[in-house]
mmCIF file of all heavy atoms in Angstrom:
data_model
loop_
_atom_site.group_PDB
_atom_site.id
_atom_site.type_symbol
_atom_site.label_atom_id
_atom_site.label_comp_id
_atom_site.label_asym_id
_atom_site.label_seq_id
_atom_site.Cartn_x
_atom_site.Cartn_y
_atom_site.Cartn_z
ATOM 1 N N GLN A 115 128.517 109.527 95.882
ATOM 2 C CA GLN A 115 129.843 108.946 95.665
ATOM 3 C C GLN A 115 130.890 109.633 96.539
ATOM 4 O O GLN A 115 131.770 108.976 97.091
ATOM 5 C CB GLN A 115 130.248 109.051 94.181
ATOM 6 C CG GLN A 115 129.545 108.085 93.251
ATOM 7 C CD GLN A 115 128.111 108.497 92.958
ATOM 8 O OE1 GLN A 115 127.724 109.634 93.229
ATOM 9 N NE2 GLN A 115 127.325 107.579 92.415
ATOM 10 N N VAL A 116 130.784 110.957 96.659
ATOM 11 C CA VAL A 116 131.751 111.699 97.486
ATOM 12 C C VAL A 116 131.673 111.246 98.936
ATOM 13 O O VAL A 116 132.696 110.998 99.592
ATOM 14 C CB VAL A 116 131.499 113.211 97.369
ATOM 15 C CG1 VAL A 116 132.344 113.971 98.391
ATOM 16 C CG2 VAL A 116 131.814 113.700 95.961
ATOM 17 N N VAL A 117 130.458 111.101 99.450
ATOM 18 C CA VAL A 117 130.279 110.670 100.842
ATOM 19 C C VAL A 117 130.811 109.251 101.041
ATOM 20 O O VAL A 117 131.525 108.971 102.013
ATOM 21 C CB VAL A 117 128.791 110.744 101.241
ATOM 22 C CG1 VAL A 117 128.572 110.147 102.624
ATOM 23 C CG2 VAL A 117 128.314 112.192 101.212
ATOM 24 N N ASP A 118 130.487 108.352 100.112
ATOM 25 C CA ASP A 118 130.938 106.955 100.236
ATOM 26 C C ASP A 118 132.453 106.851 100.163
ATOM 27 O O ASP A 118 133.080 106.132 100.944
ATOM 28 C CB ASP A 118 130.300 106.103 99.129
ATOM 29 C CG ASP A 118 128.801 105.924 99.324
ATOM 30 O OD1 ASP A 118 128.335 106.161 100.456
ATOM 31 O OD2 ASP A 118 128.114 105.560 98.347
ATOM 32 N N VAL A 119 133.058 107.585 99.219
ATOM 33 C CA VAL A 119 134.506 107.530 99.055
ATOM 34 C C VAL A 119 135.207 108.125 100.271
ATOM 35 O O VAL A 119 136.203 107.585 100.761
ATOM 36 C CB VAL A 119 134.932 108.267 97.765
ATOM 37 C CG1 VAL A 119 136.449 108.446 97.719
ATOM 38 C CG2 VAL A 119 134.465 107.492 96.537
ATOM 39 N N ALA A 120 134.699 109.234 100.775
ATOM 40 C CA ALA A 120 135.314 109.863 101.949
ATOM 41 C C ALA A 120 135.247 108.930 103.155
ATOM 42 O O ALA A 120 136.224 108.788 103.909
ATOM 43 C CB ALA A 120 134.624 111.188 102.263
ATOM 44 N N ALA A 121 134.099 108.286 103.364
ATOM 45 C CA ALA A 121 133.965 107.357 104.488
ATOM 46 C C ALA A 121 134.911 106.170 104.331
ATOM 47 O O ALA A 121 135.542 105.728 105.307
ATOM 48 C CB ALA A 121 132.518 106.876 104.591
ATOM 49 N N ALA A 122 135.016 105.658 103.118
ATOM 50 C CA ALA A 122 135.923 104.533 102.877
ATOM 51 C C ALA A 122 137.383 104.945 103.084
ATOM 52 O O ALA A 122 138.190 104.171 103.613
ATOM 53 C CB ALA A 122 135.724 103.993 101.461
ATOM 54 N N ALA A 123 137.726 106.170 102.685
ATOM 55 C CA ALA A 123 139.101 106.650 102.855
ATOM 56 C C ALA A 123 139.455 106.752 104.336
ATOM 57 O O ALA A 123 140.576 106.418 104.744
ATOM 58 C CB ALA A 123 139.273 108.006 102.172
ATOM 59 N N VAL A 124 138.503 107.202 105.151
ATOM 60 C CA VAL A 124 138.746 107.278 106.599
ATOM 61 C C VAL A 124 139.032 105.890 107.160
ATOM 62 O O VAL A 124 139.941 105.709 107.987
ATOM 63 C CB VAL A 124 137.537 107.919 107.311
ATOM 64 C CG1 VAL A 124 137.673 107.791 108.823
ATOM 65 C CG2 VAL A 124 137.411 109.383 106.917
ATOM 66 N N ARG A 125 138.264 104.898 106.707
ATOM 67 C CA ARG A 125 138.484 103.522 107.185
ATOM 68 C C ARG A 125 139.851 103.010 106.771
ATOM 69 O O ARG A 125 140.537 102.324 107.549
ATOM 70 C CB ARG A 125 137.390 102.603 106.650
ATOM 71 C CG ARG A 125 136.023 102.843 107.256
ATOM 72 C CD ARG A 125 135.081 101.694 106.958
ATOM 73 N NE ARG A 125 134.813 101.560 105.526
ATOM 74 C CZ ARG A 125 133.833 102.173 104.887
ATOM 75 N NH1 ARG A 125 132.993 102.965 105.562
ATOM 76 N NH2 ARG A 125 133.649 102.012 103.590
ATOM 77 N N VAL A 126 140.282 103.328 105.565
ATOM 78 C CA VAL A 126 141.588 102.868 105.095
ATOM 79 C C VAL A 126 142.708 103.534 105.889
ATOM 80 O O VAL A 126 143.719 102.898 106.221
ATOM 81 C CB VAL A 126 141.749 103.138 103.585
ATOM 82 C CG1 VAL A 126 143.163 102.795 103.114
ATOM 83 C CG2 VAL A 126 140.737 102.323 102.796
ATOM 84 N N TRP A 127 142.545 104.836 106.198
ATOM 85 C CA TRP A 127 143.569 105.538 106.979
ATOM 86 C C TRP A 127 143.660 104.988 108.394
ATOM 87 O O TRP A 127 144.749 104.809 108.941
ATOM 88 C CB TRP A 127 143.245 107.039 107.046
ATOM 89 C CG TRP A 127 143.755 107.833 105.885
ATOM 90 C CD1 TRP A 127 143.033 108.314 104.841
ATOM 91 C CD2 TRP A 127 145.107 108.244 105.638
ATOM 92 N NE1 TRP A 127 143.834 109.002 103.967
ATOM 93 C CE2 TRP A 127 145.111 108.976 104.426
ATOM 94 C CE3 TRP A 127 146.300 108.065 106.318
ATOM 95 C CZ2 TRP A 127 146.264 109.526 103.889
ATOM 96 C CZ3 TRP A 127 147.465 108.618 105.788
ATOM 97 C CH2 TRP A 127 147.444 109.332 104.591
ATOM 98 N N THR A 128 142.506 104.727 109.017
ATOM 99 C CA THR A 128 142.500 104.291 110.417
ATOM 100 C C THR A 128 142.817 102.813 110.567
ATOM 101 O O THR A 128 143.467 102.410 111.533
ATOM 102 C CB THR A 128 141.134 104.589 111.058
ATOM 103 O OG1 THR A 128 140.090 103.983 110.255
ATOM 104 C CG2 THR A 128 140.896 106.078 111.140
ATOM 105 N N ARG A 129 142.364 101.996 109.613
ATOM 106 C CA ARG A 129 142.614 100.553 109.698
ATOM 107 C C ARG A 129 143.066 100.026 108.342
ATOM 108 O O ARG A 129 142.299 99.385 107.618
ATOM 109 C CB ARG A 129 141.357 99.810 110.149
ATOM 110 C CG ARG A 129 140.963 100.104 111.589
ATOM 111 C CD ARG A 129 139.852 99.195 112.043
ATOM 112 N NE ARG A 129 139.537 99.396 113.441
ATOM 113 C CZ ARG A 129 138.623 98.691 114.110
ATOM 114 N NH1 ARG A 129 137.942 97.758 113.464
ATOM 115 N NH2 ARG A 129 138.392 98.932 115.395
ATOM 116 N N PRO A 130 144.305 100.292 107.974
ATOM 117 C CA PRO A 130 144.795 99.826 106.669
ATOM 118 C C PRO A 130 144.901 98.307 106.626
ATOM 119 O O PRO A 130 145.140 97.661 107.644
ATOM 120 C CB PRO A 130 146.187 100.475 106.560
ATOM 121 C CG PRO A 130 146.593 100.717 107.981
ATOM 122 C CD PRO A 130 145.332 101.008 108.735
ATOM 123 N N SER A 131 144.704 97.758 105.456
ATOM 124 C CA SER A 131 144.813 96.313 105.283
ATOM 125 C C SER A 131 146.238 95.851 105.556
ATOM 126 O O SER A 131 147.206 96.576 105.302
ATOM 127 C CB SER A 131 144.403 95.918 103.859
ATOM 128 O OG SER A 131 143.075 96.348 103.584
ATOM 129 N N THR A 132 146.364 94.626 106.034
ATOM 130 C CA THR A 132 147.688 94.108 106.388
ATOM 131 C C THR A 132 148.628 94.084 105.192
ATOM 132 O O THR A 132 149.815 94.393 105.303
ATOM 133 C CB THR A 132 147.551 92.685 106.968
ATOM 134 O OG1 THR A 132 146.645 92.724 108.075
ATOM 135 C CG2 THR A 132 148.897 92.154 107.427
ATOM 136 N N HIS A 133 148.097 93.723 104.027
ATOM 137 C CA HIS A 133 148.964 93.620 102.846
ATOM 138 C C HIS A 133 149.424 94.981 102.345
ATOM 139 O O HIS A 133 150.293 95.057 101.465
ATOM 140 C CB HIS A 133 148.250 92.861 101.721
ATOM 141 C CG HIS A 133 147.095 93.621 101.125
ATOM 142 N ND1 HIS A 133 145.873 93.746 101.753
ATOM 143 C CD2 HIS A 133 146.993 94.309 99.958
ATOM 144 C CE1 HIS A 133 145.064 94.460 100.997
ATOM 145 N NE2 HIS A 133 145.709 94.821 99.909
ATOM 146 N N LEU A 134 148.838 96.047 102.899
ATOM 147 C CA LEU A 134 149.258 97.389 102.489
ATOM 148 C C LEU A 134 150.213 98.031 103.485
ATOM 149 O O LEU A 134 150.599 99.178 103.306
ATOM 150 C CB LEU A 134 148.027 98.294 102.327
ATOM 151 C CG LEU A 134 147.099 97.981 101.148
ATOM 152 C CD1 LEU A 134 145.919 98.921 101.157
ATOM 153 C CD2 LEU A 134 147.836 98.058 99.823
ATOM 154 N N HIS A 135 150.573 97.292 104.530
ATOM 155 C CA HIS A 135 151.464 97.861 105.542
ATOM 156 C C HIS A 135 152.858 98.103 104.965
ATOM 157 O O HIS A 135 153.513 97.185 104.485
ATOM 158 C CB HIS A 135 151.566 96.922 106.746
ATOM 159 C CG HIS A 135 150.359 96.981 107.624
ATOM 160 N ND1 HIS A 135 150.197 96.204 108.735
ATOM 161 C CD2 HIS A 135 149.234 97.752 107.550
ATOM 162 C CE1 HIS A 135 149.030 96.461 109.308
ATOM 163 N NE2 HIS A 135 148.428 97.397 108.612
ATOM 164 N N ASP A 136 153.289 99.330 105.000
ATOM 165 C CA ASP A 136 154.651 99.707 104.624
ATOM 166 C C ASP A 136 155.248 100.379 105.852
ATOM 167 O O ASP A 136 155.102 101.591 106.045
ATOM 168 C CB ASP A 136 154.632 100.651 103.422
ATOM 169 C CG ASP A 136 156.021 101.118 103.031
ATOM 170 O OD1 ASP A 136 157.001 100.550 103.550
ATOM 171 O OD2 ASP A 136 156.119 102.056 102.222
ATOM 172 N N ARG A 137 155.899 99.591 106.712
ATOM 173 C CA ARG A 137 156.318 100.117 108.003
ATOM 174 C C ARG A 137 157.365 101.207 107.874
ATOM 175 O O ARG A 137 157.324 102.205 108.593
ATOM 176 C CB ARG A 137 156.818 98.966 108.875
ATOM 177 C CG ARG A 137 155.685 98.049 109.320
ATOM 178 C CD ARG A 137 156.173 96.722 109.813
ATOM 179 N NE ARG A 137 155.041 95.844 110.129
ATOM 180 C CZ ARG A 137 155.125 94.533 110.236
ATOM 181 N NH1 ARG A 137 156.286 93.928 110.061
ATOM 182 N NH2 ARG A 137 154.061 93.814 110.516
ATOM 183 N N THR A 138 158.299 101.030 106.960
ATOM 184 C CA THR A 138 159.303 102.079 106.760
ATOM 185 C C THR A 138 158.642 103.365 106.271
ATOM 186 O O THR A 138 158.922 104.454 106.773
ATOM 187 C CB THR A 138 160.361 101.613 105.759
ATOM 188 O OG1 THR A 138 161.044 100.461 106.281
ATOM 189 C CG2 THR A 138 161.375 102.712 105.497
ATOM 190 N N GLY A 139 157.757 103.220 105.294
ATOM 191 C CA GLY A 139 157.050 104.390 104.791
ATOM 192 C C GLY A 139 156.176 105.039 105.845
ATOM 193 O O GLY A 139 156.072 106.258 105.925
ATOM 194 N N ARG A 140 155.565 104.200 106.701
ATOM 195 C CA ARG A 140 154.717 104.733 107.769
ATOM 196 C C ARG A 140 155.536 105.548 108.757
ATOM 197 O O ARG A 140 155.113 106.627 109.194
ATOM 198 C CB ARG A 140 154.034 103.570 108.483
ATOM 199 C CG ARG A 140 153.161 103.930 109.663
ATOM 200 C CD ARG A 140 152.001 104.791 109.269
ATOM 201 N NE ARG A 140 152.220 106.193 109.554
ATOM 202 C CZ ARG A 140 151.481 107.167 109.113
ATOM 203 N NH1 ARG A 140 150.453 106.917 108.337
ATOM 204 N NH2 ARG A 140 151.740 108.421 109.423
ATOM 205 N N MET A 141 156.711 105.042 109.134
ATOM 206 C CA MET A 141 157.555 105.771 110.080
ATOM 207 C C MET A 141 158.082 107.063 109.466
ATOM 208 O O MET A 141 158.142 108.102 110.144
ATOM 209 C CB MET A 141 158.698 104.870 110.554
ATOM 210 C CG MET A 141 158.253 103.784 111.516
ATOM 211 S SD MET A 141 159.631 102.844 112.234
ATOM 212 C CE MET A 141 160.086 101.812 110.839
ATOM 213 N N CYS A 142 158.453 107.024 108.192
ATOM 214 C CA CYS A 142 158.897 108.253 107.520
ATOM 215 C C CYS A 142 157.781 109.290 107.488
ATOM 216 O O CYS A 142 158.006 110.482 107.727
ATOM 217 C CB CYS A 142 159.352 107.932 106.097
ATOM 218 S SG CYS A 142 160.977 107.171 105.976
ATOM 219 N N THR A 143 156.567 108.821 107.205
ATOM 220 C CA THR A 143 155.428 109.735 107.187
ATOM 221 C C THR A 143 155.188 110.335 108.559
ATOM 222 O O THR A 143 154.899 111.533 108.701
ATOM 223 C CB THR A 143 154.167 108.999 106.709
ATOM 224 O OG1 THR A 143 154.397 108.479 105.394
ATOM 225 C CG2 THR A 143 152.967 109.931 106.684
ATOM 226 N N THR A 144 155.314 109.503 109.600
ATOM 227 C CA THR A 144 155.123 109.995 110.964
ATOM 228 C C THR A 144 156.138 111.068 111.308
ATOM 229 O O THR A 144 155.796 112.121 111.865
ATOM 230 C CB THR A 144 155.235 108.836 111.969
ATOM 231 O OG1 THR A 144 154.111 107.974 111.806
ATOM 232 C CG2 THR A 144 155.278 109.339 113.403
ATOM 233 N N VAL A 145 157.397 110.826 110.980
ATOM 234 C CA VAL A 145 158.443 111.802 111.281
ATOM 235 C C VAL A 145 158.182 113.109 110.533
ATOM 236 O O VAL A 145 158.327 114.210 111.092
ATOM 237 C CB VAL A 145 159.827 111.233 110.920
ATOM 238 C CG1 VAL A 145 160.913 112.279 111.096
ATOM 239 C CG2 VAL A 145 160.144 110.015 111.788
ATOM 240 N N ALA A 146 157.768 112.994 109.272
ATOM 241 C CA ALA A 146 157.509 114.192 108.473
ATOM 242 C C ALA A 146 156.264 114.936 108.958
ATOM 243 O O ALA A 146 156.286 116.162 109.144
ATOM 244 C CB ALA A 146 157.359 113.806 107.003
ATOM 245 N N VAL A 147 155.169 114.194 109.171
ATOM 246 C CA VAL A 147 153.919 114.825 109.610
ATOM 247 C C VAL A 147 154.083 115.455 110.986
ATOM 248 O O VAL A 147 153.601 116.564 111.248
ATOM 249 C CB VAL A 147 152.776 113.792 109.613
ATOM 250 C CG1 VAL A 147 151.534 114.359 110.313
ATOM 251 C CG2 VAL A 147 152.427 113.387 108.193
ATOM 252 N N THR A 148 154.788 114.746 111.869
ATOM 253 C CA THR A 148 154.992 115.278 113.215
ATOM 254 C C THR A 148 155.795 116.569 113.177
ATOM 255 O O THR A 148 155.507 117.518 113.919
ATOM 256 C CB THR A 148 155.704 114.241 114.099
ATOM 257 O OG1 THR A 148 154.935 113.041 114.132
ATOM 258 C CG2 THR A 148 155.861 114.755 115.524
ATOM 259 N N LEU A 149 156.799 116.633 112.314
ATOM 260 C CA LEU A 149 157.574 117.867 112.207
ATOM 261 C C LEU A 149 156.689 119.017 111.733
ATOM 262 O O LEU A 149 156.755 120.128 112.284
ATOM 263 C CB LEU A 149 158.746 117.680 111.241
ATOM 264 C CG LEU A 149 159.572 118.949 110.970
ATOM 265 C CD1 LEU A 149 160.245 119.438 112.250
ATOM 266 C CD2 LEU A 149 160.612 118.701 109.878
ATOM 267 N N CYS A 150 155.854 118.763 110.721
ATOM 268 C CA CYS A 150 154.967 119.818 110.219
ATOM 269 C C CYS A 150 153.981 120.256 111.297
ATOM 270 O O CYS A 150 153.776 121.459 111.514
ATOM 271 C CB CYS A 150 154.220 119.313 108.983
ATOM 272 S SG CYS A 150 155.281 118.977 107.556
ATOM 273 N N ALA A 151 153.369 119.271 111.977
ATOM 274 C CA ALA A 151 152.404 119.608 113.027
ATOM 275 C C ALA A 151 153.100 120.296 114.198
ATOM 276 O O ALA A 151 152.574 121.268 114.758
ATOM 277 C CB ALA A 151 151.691 118.345 113.501
ATOM 278 N N TRP A 152 154.282 119.803 114.562
ATOM 279 C CA TRP A 152 155.004 120.412 115.667
ATOM 280 C C TRP A 152 155.387 121.855 115.340
ATOM 281 O O TRP A 152 155.324 122.732 116.207
ATOM 282 C CB TRP A 152 156.263 119.616 115.990
ATOM 283 C CG TRP A 152 157.052 120.219 117.113
ATOM 284 C CD1 TRP A 152 156.914 119.963 118.452
ATOM 285 C CD2 TRP A 152 158.097 121.199 117.001
ATOM 286 N NE1 TRP A 152 157.788 120.725 119.177
ATOM 287 C CE2 TRP A 152 158.527 121.497 118.315
ATOM 288 C CE3 TRP A 152 158.694 121.846 115.930
ATOM 289 C CZ2 TRP A 152 159.538 122.418 118.566
ATOM 290 C CZ3 TRP A 152 159.689 122.771 116.182
ATOM 291 C CH2 TRP A 152 160.108 123.044 117.490
ATOM 292 N N THR A 153 155.767 122.105 114.099
ATOM 293 C CA THR A 153 156.114 123.472 113.695
ATOM 294 C C THR A 153 154.914 124.396 113.853
ATOM 295 O O THR A 153 155.040 125.536 114.326
ATOM 296 C CB THR A 153 156.614 123.493 112.247
ATOM 297 O OG1 THR A 153 157.746 122.614 112.109
ATOM 298 C CG2 THR A 153 157.031 124.895 111.832
ATOM 299 N N ALA A 154 153.732 123.907 113.452
ATOM 300 C CA ALA A 154 152.525 124.707 113.626
ATOM 301 C C ALA A 154 152.229 124.931 115.110
ATOM 302 O O ALA A 154 151.876 126.042 115.522
ATOM 303 C CB ALA A 154 151.338 124.011 112.948
ATOM 304 N N LEU A 155 152.393 123.886 115.921
ATOM 305 C CA LEU A 155 152.163 124.022 117.358
ATOM 306 C C LEU A 155 153.178 124.979 117.984
ATOM 307 O O LEU A 155 152.834 125.794 118.845
ATOM 308 C CB LEU A 155 152.255 122.651 118.033
ATOM 309 C CG LEU A 155 151.127 121.663 117.709
ATOM 310 C CD1 LEU A 155 151.476 120.271 118.222
ATOM 311 C CD2 LEU A 155 149.812 122.126 118.304
ATOM 312 N N ALA A 156 154.438 124.855 117.542
ATOM 313 C CA ALA A 156 155.473 125.738 118.080
ATOM 314 C C ALA A 156 155.206 127.188 117.693
ATOM 315 O O ALA A 156 155.406 128.108 118.501
ATOM 316 C CB ALA A 156 156.848 125.296 117.575
ATOM 317 N N ALA A 157 154.742 127.404 116.449
ATOM 318 C CA ALA A 157 154.422 128.772 116.025
ATOM 319 C C ALA A 157 153.303 129.346 116.891
ATOM 320 O O ALA A 157 153.357 130.507 117.324
ATOM 321 C CB ALA A 157 154.007 128.774 114.558
ATOM 322 N N GLY A 158 152.287 128.518 117.161
ATOM 323 C CA GLY A 158 151.212 128.974 118.031
ATOM 324 C C GLY A 158 151.699 129.240 119.445
ATOM 325 O O GLY A 158 151.273 130.205 120.095
#
């Protein structure tokens, strides 16, 4: 079950269904995730 769920989660992250598209939420997530990742990159 863990393997199946993990594989399915990867598919949902990479190719989300059209009816689940939240463009505003996606852009907010991108801005937030990029800041966190950029901070780690900048620290390095």
Side-chain angles (χ1 to χ4, degrees):
Q115 286 76 15
V116 171
V117 173
D118 291 342
V119 169
V124 171
R125 290 194 296 271
V126 174
W127 274 104
T128 55
R129 292 189 176 182
S131 302
T132 304
H133 69 284
L134 291 178
H135 284 178
D136 178 11
R137 290 163 184 161
T138 298
R140 177 63 260 168
M141 287 187 285
C142 283
T143 301
T144 291
V145 174
V147 169
T148 303
L149 176 63
C150 295
W152 179 89
T153 303
L155 291 169

